[in-house]
Amino acid sequence: MIALATSTSSPTLSKWLTLVAFACALHVGVDRMLGYGLKLPDAFAHTHMGWIWKDRDKGRGRSASCES
């Protein structure tokens, strides 16, 4: 939005702001594709999308060795 507002007064700044916005959107998209999400305060591996890494079974109340 800021890139659009500055496009007439400073085209170079507008291009950089657009590049930063696309990089940020790509970063968020790749994180979501890999299953990462916003971190919750109780543990780093606990995200709003669930548990990541080896801690994903922690949220189910059982250990990974109990899986059949």
Side-chain angles (χ1 to χ4, degrees), residues 5 8 15 21 23 25-26 28-29 32-33 42-44 46 55 62:
T8 57
K15 288 178 185 177
L26 177 68
V28 169
R32 296 292 177 93
M33 182 179 66
D42 61 340
F44 182 79
H46 192 196
D55 292 335
R62 58 185 172 157

Side-chain angles (χ1 to χ4, degrees), residues 1-66:
M1 194 58 140
I2 296 172
L4 292 173
T6 60
S7 63
T8 57
S9 61
S10 178
T12 304
L13 178 62
S14 178
K15 288 178 185 177
W16 279 107
L17 290 173
T18 302
L19 179 65
V20 168
F22 280 131
C24 184
L26 177 68
H27 186 274
V28 169
V30 170
D31 281 353
R32 296 292 177 93
M33 182 179 66
L34 295 175
Y36 299 113
L38 300 173
K39 306 294 185 256
L40 296 176
D42 61 340
F44 182 79
H46 192 196
T47 71
H48 80 287
M49 297 176 70
W51 290 90
I52 55 175
W53 304 317
K54 294 180 182 179
D55 292 335
R56 68 179 172 260
D57 292 321
K58 188 179 195 181
R60 296 185 205 157
R62 58 185 172 157
S63 65
S65 61
C66 296

